[in-house]
Amino acid sequence: MHSSHLLLEEPIRMASILEPSKAETLENLKACVKSTKKLCAVMLDTVGPEIQVINRSEITITLEADAKVTLTPNQEQDASSEVLPVNLDCLAKAVKKGDTIFMGQYLFTGSETTSVWLEVDEVKGKDVVCVVKNSATLTGPLFTLHASQVHIDLPTLSDKDKKVISTWGVANKIDFLSLSFTRHAEDVRQARELLSKLGDLSQTQIFAKIENVEGLTHFDEILQEADGIILSRGNLGIDLPPEKVFLFQKAALYKCNMAGKPAVVTRVVDSMTDNLRPTRAEATDVANAVLDGSDAILLGAETLRGLYPIETISTVGRICAEAEKVFNQDLYFKKTVKFVGEPMSHLESIASSAVRAAIKVKASVIICFTSSGRAARLIAKYRPTMPVLSVVIPRLKTNQLKWSFSGAFEVALESDCISKDIWPYPARQSLIVRGLFPMLADPRHPAESTNGTNESVLKVALDHGKAAGVIKSHDRVVICQKVGDASVVKIIELED
């Protein structure tokens, strides 16, 4: 999601990779990043405890309303309109008569003819007999199955997920891990333990994907452990009654905002998968997600298999920009300060003071020097009306043989090769934070200064803002940085 100052960034800030087997997807992204010289973060989406219907013969399966179909764990059987083999032995133990099961090639929307909902009629041993509630045609080798409000005894990180993370994820230095079907805080802790053992991924941030009532029930503890939250409204819309989804969205976004953790909303313009324009309801939904406090919009089928991916991104970006123009920042700022309370922590105090000062002097931009990105994210938490330019400067360490980056980067470099392979974790991870615009600085300039060595970096940041059109002569700029052991907020007025 971009700020109302559109010149700083293009709408695309992050790519979510759902199918690592399609290596050309990431290679295309890398080529684009290189040619445009723009930062872009990469998120790996895990499969999680997903139940699948196996259709090895890939025949088209037609299900008629009011007919009966049997779900069986016997994967040796061929899929048909009467029998559907699933990859879960304990499904019969998890469901009971009257439970609702959704199934389809894609996530169920209520309008797609590639999705069907079933009602459990009876359980026969390991088989589950269901009544088909709507007619549908299913094609392809795999269909996703979701049992509404039913606990499925499967690990959140499957063995396949772990293998993909430890191989493909490590090789491609992923910035974010989207932890599908997060149900407990322990799920996040286990994922973080896995990442900590993979060296290169120790700085990868974990976004808990809330997809069912179980995750919703433990939302507060999950939020405390995770780096961010993804509200997967597709599956939530199945697990929750439709009239309850908006309540959860507003409550969850508020909690994320107050915690200063990014919140991502999914499933906003489904109709643009096949249509050039969104419905009026979808356009309003996107705007409300922005006004509710979301940091980003995650597109799915619209860009994965849709006919109008570019138009979708452009349309959603324009709606977000319009919504941000009417966002009540003054009310939000007061609400956030009141929630944080007193006494504030040192960093909270500096961040809120920087925003308050910028508002009072009508600054055109806030510039924050940072190594980890934490200070800049705290400033962005208060949703200033002006862009926050995060100047990411890594700390350098040396063992006299090699230089290495600490905090910001995890790449060991020869002393004369500092610029060859920079891995800008905090910079790229800042892209998902609303209103935050990261830029990379020369790692030889320290983020903590005692003698004004940041002046040259400040000039680069100011030149960047001028080139982007957000800083002009005689504008006031608020700067937040560390000088020795002290955190300093200062205001400068630019000359001609």
Side-chain angles (χ1 to χ4, degrees):
M1 183 184 299
H2 53 289
S3 167
S4 56
H5 298 273
L6 297 181
L7 292 175
L8 271 178
E9 283 288 344
E10 295 299 320
I12 299 180
R13 286 176 151 226
M14 185 179 73
S16 181
I17 308 298
L18 294 101
E19 299 180 71
S21 58
K22 296 186 177 181
E24 71 273 13
T25 302
L26 191 56
E27 292 307 313
N28 289 340
L29 175 65
K30 289 178 179 178
C32 291
V33 167
K34 188 175 181 179
S35 64
T36 61
K37 294 181 172 60
K38 291 182 180 291
L39 289 171
C40 188
V42 174
M43 173 180 283
L44 175 62
D45 191 15
T46 64
V47 175
E50 187 174 78
I51 310 172
Q52 295 175 332
V53 177
I54 312 298
N55 181 18
R56 286 196 177 87
S57 59
E58 298 191 33
I59 62 169
T60 298
I61 297 174
T62 301
L63 299 175
E64 299 292 341
D66 299 324
K68 290 190 177 183
V69 63
T70 300
L71 305 178
T72 178
N74 183 3
Q75 297 183 37
E76 299 302 318
Q77 287 195 246
D78 291 329
S80 67
S81 299
E82 291 78 34
V83 179
L84 296 173
V86 298
N87 65 342
L88 182 67
D89 289 335
C90 61
L91 180 62
K93 295 180 180 178
V95 299
K96 63 183 182 304
K97 182 178 176 64
D99 281 347
T100 303
I101 295 176
F102 294 87
M103 182 174 62
Q105 186 177 6
Y106 307 111
L107 284 174
F108 187 86
T109 64
S111 61
E112 292 182 340
T113 56
T114 57
S115 300
V116 63
W117 62 285
L118 313 171
E119 184 178 297
V120 176
D121 186 55
E122 62 177 319
V123 175
K124 289 184 175 180
K126 291 188 175 183
D127 294 344
V128 179
V129 181
C130 301
V131 176
V132 180
K133 304 303 288 186
N134 68 289
S135 298
T137 301
L138 306 177
T139 59
L142 293 172
F143 317 130
T144 300
L145 187 149
H146 181 89
S148 179
Q149 298 195 31
V150 172
H151 173 75
I152 301 298
D153 192 18
L154 288 174
T156 300
L157 269 180
S158 66
D159 289 340
K160 181 179 178 182
D161 287 330
K162 293 177 182 178
K163 182 179 179 181
V164 170
I165 293 168
S166 59
T167 54
W168 190 91
V170 170
N172 292 285
K173 305 179 177 71
I174 57 171
D175 300 286
F176 301 103
L177 179 69
S178 169
L179 191 59
S180 296
F181 293 97
T182 304
R183 294 164 288 184
H184 300 270
E186 184 60 28
D187 297 336
V188 181
R189 286 191 285 268
Q190 289 178 4
R192 203 176 300 282
E193 183 181 359
L194 172 66
L195 294 177
S196 69
K197 296 176 180 177
L198 296 177
D200 287 348
L201 299 190
S202 60
Q203 294 185 72
T204 297
Q205 290 189 354
I206 299 173
F207 273 58
K209 208 170 182 183
I210 308 300
E211 307 199 49
N212 52 30
V213 169
E214 198 171 355
L216 177 56
T217 303
H218 302 101
F219 183 85
D220 290 350
E221 64 180 59
I222 291 171
L223 176 60
Q224 192 171 352
E225 288 291 332
D227 297 300
I229 296 290
I230 297 176
L231 310 181
S232 182
R233 302 191 308 173
N235 284 330
L236 273 174
I238 294 172
D239 243 30
L240 289 173
E243 66 272 17
K244 298 291 187 182
V245 176
F246 85 96
L247 289 172
F248 163 68
Q249 173 174 310
K250 288 181 179 294
L253 290 178
Y254 173 77
K255 289 179 178 181
C256 289
N257 292 166
M258 295 303 102
K261 295 189 177 183
V264 183
V265 170
T266 71
R267 302 301 292 271
V268 289
V269 286
D270 287 342
S271 70
M272 289 194 75
T273 304
D274 302 306
N275 298 291
L276 190 57
R277 290 170 60 88
T279 65
R280 293 181 295 276
E282 287 174 331
T284 303
D285 185 35
V286 174
N288 280 329
V290 175
L291 297 176
D292 285 346
S294 62
D295 288 81
I297 301 293
L298 180 61
L299 300 173
E302 308 97 322
T303 50
L304 174 66
R305 59 182 175 88
L307 301 177
Y308 308 101
I310 297 173
E311 291 83 357
T312 298
I313 293 167
S314 177
T315 299
V316 171
R318 291 198 305 272
I319 296 170
C320 289
E322 286 299 313
E324 287 191 342
K325 289 177 183 178
V326 298
F327 181 76
N328 192 333
Q329 189 278 336
D330 184 56
L331 178 63
Y332 180 90
F333 181 82
K334 291 176 180 176
K335 181 174 63 176
T336 308
V337 170
K338 182 178 179 181
F339 179 87
V340 172
E342 295 179 355
M344 283 185 171
S345 68
H346 178 73
L347 274 179
E348 284 277 4
S349 177
I350 292 295
S352 60
S353 296
V355 175
R356 182 182 284 107
I359 294 170
K360 293 293 184 182
V361 303
K362 292 182 168 52
S364 58
V365 69
I366 300 173
I367 297 177
C368 178
F369 294 93
T370 180
S371 289
S372 66
R374 184 184 174 200
R377 287 194 298 270
L378 267 179
I379 292 173
K381 167 184 173 177
Y382 288 89
R383 297 283 196 264
T385 52
M386 64 291 297
V388 180
L389 188 56
S390 173
V391 183
V392 179
I393 310 173
R395 289 184 294 269
L396 284 170
K397 296 187 301 184
T398 179
N399 62 2
Q400 297 183 336
L401 296 176
K402 288 185 177 182
W403 291 95
S404 65
F405 292 118
S406 171
F409 309 101
E410 285 258 337
V411 180
L413 303 172
E414 300 295 344
S415 58
D416 61 344
C417 302
I418 284 178
S419 62
K420 285 188 177 179
D421 188 19
I422 292 179
W423 185 5
Y425 260 117
R428 291 203 304 243
Q429 288 169 343
S430 295
L431 290 168
I432 204 169
V433 180
R434 179 168 168 174
L436 196 54
F437 300 91
M439 63 170 286
L440 289 170
D442 191 324
R444 287 164 291 194
H445 291 285
E448 300 175 6
S449 171
T450 57
N451 54 10
T453 53
N454 272 338
E455 292 304 315
S456 59
V457 185
L458 175 60
K459 185 180 183 304
V460 173
L462 291 172
D463 289 343
H464 178 72
K466 290 175 182 177
V470 296
I471 301 177
K472 307 183 299 296
S473 296
H474 304 294
D475 276 358
R476 289 171 179 171
V477 175
V478 170
I479 299 165
C480 184
Q481 67 181 108
K482 288 202 76 175
V483 178
D485 294 329
S487 297
V488 175
V489 174
K490 63 181 181 180
I491 302 167
I492 63 171
E493 187 167 337
L494 304 183
E495 301 176 352
D496 290 330

